[in-house]
Amino acid sequence: MTDTAHLQLRTPTIADGQALWQMAVDSATLDVNSPYAYLLWCRDFAATSVIAEVDGEPAGFVTGYRRPAQPQTLMVWQVAVNAAHRGAGLAGRMLDHLAAAHVPQGVTHLETSITPDNDASRRLFGAFARRWDAQLECSELFGAGLFSESHLAEDLFRIGPLGVNPRRR
Ligand SMILES: CC(C)(COP(=O)(O)OP(=O)(O)OC[C@H]1O[C@@H](n2cnc3c(N)ncnc32)[C@H](O)[C@@H]1OP(=O)(O)O)[C@@H](O)C(=O)NCCC(=O)NCCS
């Protein structure tokens, strides 16, 4: 992302479902869900999701939801940034954007799950916890044996309590 590029973070609509699916495919890391799943997400969980556009083109997204049995917890399901825009803080900005929108509405913790081999994602959420002056607890969420196909374990990262605002970058 160049200094002159125009970044917009906004709530996705169903018209963005295809772009989210394509970014998941292009990430080459995420478990890709069906195109239908991203459409449904953009319909029912748009308020806890965000799409980033750089110069009007999709550049990244976060999908999340508030846990039905524990609505103070925002569960981040998938995060992706297009390869051309990685390493510029875009994923961190999307997470800050979501947290800043939901902390005033009662969210106190953010959760996500990460495989042990995903250094970029581990660093992303570690940096998020530091910016928000929050504790980060790591535990096993889904062991490898719970998956029907070959899949690394998913570790649960639970971050909180979240402060009112993130520290300045
Ligand atoms: C993970 C991902 C979303 C990060 O996006 P990003 O916009 O590049 O992230 P940021 O620029 O905000 O950087 C976040 C942290 O990751 C680090 N990082 C970025 N790329 C990295 C890499 N290839 N290897 C290790 N660390 C990396 C950054 O240095 C930063 O850490 P720091 O604050 O301690 O310096 C992006 O790499 C991606 O889309 N990966 C493929 C999909 C994926 O794995 N999603 C997460 C699944 S839970």
Side-chain angles (χ1 to χ4, degrees), residues 95 112 114 119-136 157 159:
L95 293 179
T112 197
I114 311 179
D119 287 339
S121 192
R122 285 174 177 258
R123 289 185 59 162
L124 168 66
F125 285 93
F128 174 85
R130 288 194 296 278
R131 279 199 307 283
W132 284 80
D133 281 330
Q135 301 291 314
L136 190 162
F157 279 49
I159 299 168

Side-chain angles (χ1 to χ4, degrees), residues 40-55:
L40 202 59
W41 209 269
C42 290
R43 188 186 81 144
D44 288 342
F45 300 101
T48 44
S49 302
V50 59
I51 182 168
E53 291 175 323
V54 173
D55 292 335

Side-chain angles (χ1 to χ4, degrees), residues 48 64-68 70-75 102 105-107:
T48 44
Y65 61 92
R66 289 175 76 162
R67 295 189 66 204
Q70 201 180 82
Q72 320 89 288
T73 298
L74 175 67
M75 175 71 186
H102 288 278
Q105 295 178 32
V107 164

Side-chain angles (χ1 to χ4, degrees), residues 22-35:
Q22 190 64 57
M23 287 190 275
V25 171
D26 294 343
S27 76
T29 305
L30 294 176
D31 288 344
V32 180
N33 299 278
S34 68

